[in-house]
Amino acid sequence: ERVARGLGACNALLLRGHGCVVVGGSVAATVMASIYLRDNAAIQTEAMRMGEPRYLSTEEARAASRVMGSGLVIERAWNYWVRRARQAMPDLAV
């Protein structure tokens, strides 16, 4: 119940001492949120090593979220990751 409340309308929640939980409207959307959470954490860590990062404004973040959450972007990303998985594991049944 606390995790659900913490998530609210978000796709991810950091769990102190336990990693994170990621949700989405579909498997593809959840995979995309998971991959970008990992990538963005690495980018932010590097940016913080270089100094004080300049974060997106609330409106910039909302605009980016609308674009990244669109069905076409999710579908294209999913197809890319499936292709990569099949190349890495030819016997994978996807």
Side-chain angles (χ1 to χ4, degrees):
E1 182 182 325
R2 287 178 59 197
V3 170
R5 261 188 284 122
L7 268 170
C10 299
N11 290 86
L13 178 68
L14 299 178
L15 304 170
R16 184 179 43 204
H18 296 284
C20 66
V21 62
V22 181
V23 299
S26 66
V27 171
T30 305
V31 168
M32 183 171 175
S34 299
I35 289 171
Y36 284 120
L37 178 65
R38 178 205 60 195
D39 292 351
N40 288 328
I43 291 167
Q44 182 174 348
T45 299
E46 281 302 309
M48 292 170 76
R49 286 185 187 150
M50 292 185 254
E52 183 63 30
R54 245 181 78 206
Y55 297 100
L56 297 177
S57 69
T58 301
E59 190 50 45
E60 289 170 325
R62 283 189 183 126
S65 182
R66 281 191 298 270
V67 170
M68 295 306 290
S70 75
L72 180 60
V73 171
I74 294 170
E75 183 181 346
R76 289 183 69 193
W78 176 256
N79 290 335
Y80 168 74
W81 292 317
V82 168
R83 261 192 327 276
R84 284 189 58 190
R86 284 186 174 146
Q87 287 172 350
M89 299 176 283
D91 59 333
L92 182 67
V94 176

